Amino acid sequence: MADYKLQSKLRTNIHKCENKRLRNEGRIPAVFYFHQDKPVPLSVDVKELKGAIHSGANIYELHMEKKKHLCILRDIQHNPVTEEITHADFMGITMKEDITVNVPVHLEGTAIGVKDFDGVLAQQIWEIEVKCKATDIPDAFTVDVSLLNVGDSIAVSDISAENVEILTPQSSSIVSIVKAAGAKAEDEEEIEEEEEEIEEGESAKTE
Amino acid sequence: MLAPRKIKHRKQHTGRMKGLATRGNAVSFGHYGLKALEPGWISSRQIEAVRVAITRKVRKHGKMWIRIFPDKPITKKPAETRMGKGKGAPEYWVAVVKPGRILFEVEVTNEEQAKEAFSTAAHKLPIKTKIVARREVGA
């Protein structure tokens, strides 16, 4: 049922200096919470966690000493400069209840407006909030943009998903093709240059 | 050049730039961003220079966003003035930047264009920077 198994150790000393020591050892301080239960401070191996993230799994089986829990990775904190993971939040789940998660949006193809008409692809929404059972969480929503021309857009209402309730407003635009801000100015420059050339040509003829 | 339209106080204290950027440290609008690796003051002239440099590169293929605003007035005493007699007159505006702050963002079709635009832009800034891509959900 779980996509990935993750080993963890309980943290007894929850001081800042202890967290620093853990990070130096290659582990990350994390927390596990489930409904109204008291949050459990724990630590996970950074390599194992990175492997879990890159595996693309949605549900993890978190081993805490002799217990094991099904959970999702609710939040990850990064160092603003090094971008290394500094903390992780695991939220316990049951297979019966609905949960709210953010699902990434992936764009597919090259839009006609970008390829042929010098448009710019502007993505407004990068993740969509959905409510569904843990087993039904989609890996990503794939949006095909290949048929979009300048001025066209795709809204959240255009996305279809089974067993999933989309919470993001349906009218929200996911991606649109707009004309590049500099394209108009360049067109004008080109027209001016052409006009100048014509004028020069005419003056040469008269001479 | 960027400057506040209305201000409450004409002059500010120098201040300190300790710590890392806790806000504005993720790429939010485009695909790629230019991240500060050092603390520093970025003047409105430098922001304008970067804006022009990036716009020249991405004008035809994309969009750009400026994520910092120069809201701190810097004062300067006139040349050959004796010390004392109060604080100098406001001279220019700066944005206070801490390590980790996203300075500029672009939306372009490929990474090469972003690298080209940001490498030119980085030369116009007084601090070390790096190019970062948008982080996906859960990554």
Side-chain angles (χ1 to χ4, degrees):
Chain A
M1 213 171 310
D3 295 343
Y4 204 94
K5 285 178 186 171
L6 210 56
Q7 298 294 332
S8 71
K9 282 181 189 170
L10 289 177
R11 270 190 299 146
T12 46
N13 195 352
I14 50 170
H15 289 290
K16 192 197 266 186
C17 55
E18 183 66 16
N19 291 344
K20 276 185 183 174
R21 192 187 60 79
L22 276 173
R23 289 185 192 115
N24 289 338
E25 282 176 5
R27 297 187 71 78
I28 295 170
V31 65
F32 171 82
Y33 40 80
F34 181 62
H35 287 279
Q36 301 301 319
D37 293 355
K38 214 176 169 186
V40 184
L42 40 92
S43 71
V44 290
D45 188 72
V46 65
K47 282 181 186 168
E48 211 178 332
L49 182 65
K50 280 181 183 171
I53 292 166
H54 290 297
S55 71
N58 289 321
I59 307 167
Y60 303 105
E61 194 177 86
L62 193 67
H63 291 253
M64 288 187 286
E65 292 185 344
K66 286 173 186 174
K67 292 178 186 173
K68 55 184 178 182
H69 291 276
L70 287 178
C71 64
I72 58 167
L73 194 55
R74 194 61 168 170
D75 187 37
I76 310 176
Q77 291 172 23
H78 295 82
N79 181 302
V81 179
T82 59
E83 311 239 330
E84 284 294 314
I85 300 171
T86 53
H87 190 270
D89 276 26
F90 294 99
M91 190 180 85
I93 52 164
T94 57
M95 287 300 173
K96 289 175 188 173
E97 65 182 1
D98 285 353
I99 52 170
T100 307
V101 287
N102 286 343
V103 177
V105 177
H106 289 169
L107 303 183
E108 200 179 55
T110 310
I112 300 169
V114 174
K115 206 163 48 180
D116 301 334
F117 299 100
D118 286 342
V120 177
L121 186 126
Q123 192 173 350
Q124 286 87 28
I125 290 182
W126 302 81
E127 51 197 70
I128 291 176
E129 194 178 15
V130 298
K131 192 175 179 183
C132 61
K133 290 204 164 43
T135 46
D136 298 330
I137 299 173
D139 290 336
F141 289 116
T142 308
V143 177
D144 186 16
V145 295
S146 53
L147 296 174
L148 289 185
N149 208 332
V150 177
D152 294 347
S153 67
I154 292 175
V156 175
S157 54
D158 297 329
I159 285 181
S160 58
E162 287 177 10
N163 307 327
V164 168
E165 185 192 344
I166 295 174
L167 301 178
T168 307
Q170 295 285 315
S171 59
S172 304
S173 171
I174 295 172
V175 60
S176 59
I177 309 293
V178 292
K179 195 156 190 180
K184 199 180 169 185
E186 277 196 2
D187 290 347
E188 284 169 6
E189 280 172 18
E190 280 171 15
I191 291 164
E192 279 174 14
E193 279 174 14
E194 279 171 15
E195 281 174 0
E196 279 174 13
E197 280 173 14
I198 292 163
E199 279 173 15
E200 280 172 13
E202 281 174 1
S203 61
K205 274 180 189 175
T206 50
E207 281 170 9
Chain B
M1 281 194 298
L2 291 173
R5 200 169 292 163
K6 197 177 160 189
I7 46 167
K8 207 166 184 179
H9 302 291
R10 283 180 63 227
K11 296 171 186 177
Q12 279 184 18
H13 290 178
T14 312
R16 296 286 177 271
M17 290 174 282
K18 282 171 73 177
L20 306 175
T22 52
R23 303 177 70 178
N25 57 22
V27 179
S28 303
F29 299 97
H31 256 105
Y32 303 98
L34 190 68
K35 182 172 264 198
L37 298 178
E38 291 175 336
W41 285 347
I42 314 283
S43 72
S44 53
R45 281 173 190 274
Q46 287 160 345
I47 296 173
E48 178 62 14
V50 172
R51 186 192 68 78
V52 170
I54 296 178
T55 309
R56 276 188 187 154
K57 298 286 179 188
V58 304
R59 185 164 61 176
K60 215 174 174 187
H61 330 276
K63 286 176 81 178
M64 74 157 294
W65 291 266
I66 303 171
R67 295 285 308 273
I68 48 172
F69 186 82
D71 57 356
K72 183 181 177 68
I74 303 300
T75 60
K76 202 176 174 187
K77 274 175 169 289
E80 296 182 4
T81 313
R82 286 179 186 275
M83 288 296 109
K85 307 292 177 198
K87 197 168 166 75
E91 190 78 10
Y92 58 98
W93 295 88
V94 297
V96 180
V97 166
K98 287 181 178 182
R101 177 86 192 189
I102 298 289
L103 308 171
F104 301 91
E105 286 184 28
V106 292
E107 172 76 64
V108 283
T109 43
N110 60 50
E111 198 178 343
E112 288 306 310
Q113 289 171 349
K115 276 184 181 170
E116 199 184 334
F118 282 144
S119 61
T120 322
H123 282 101
K124 309 207 179 295
L125 290 170
I127 53 169
K128 276 185 187 171
T129 54
K130 73 171 175 182
I131 300 166
V132 289
R134 172 179 277 272
R135 197 182 294 138
E136 268 208 359
V137 183

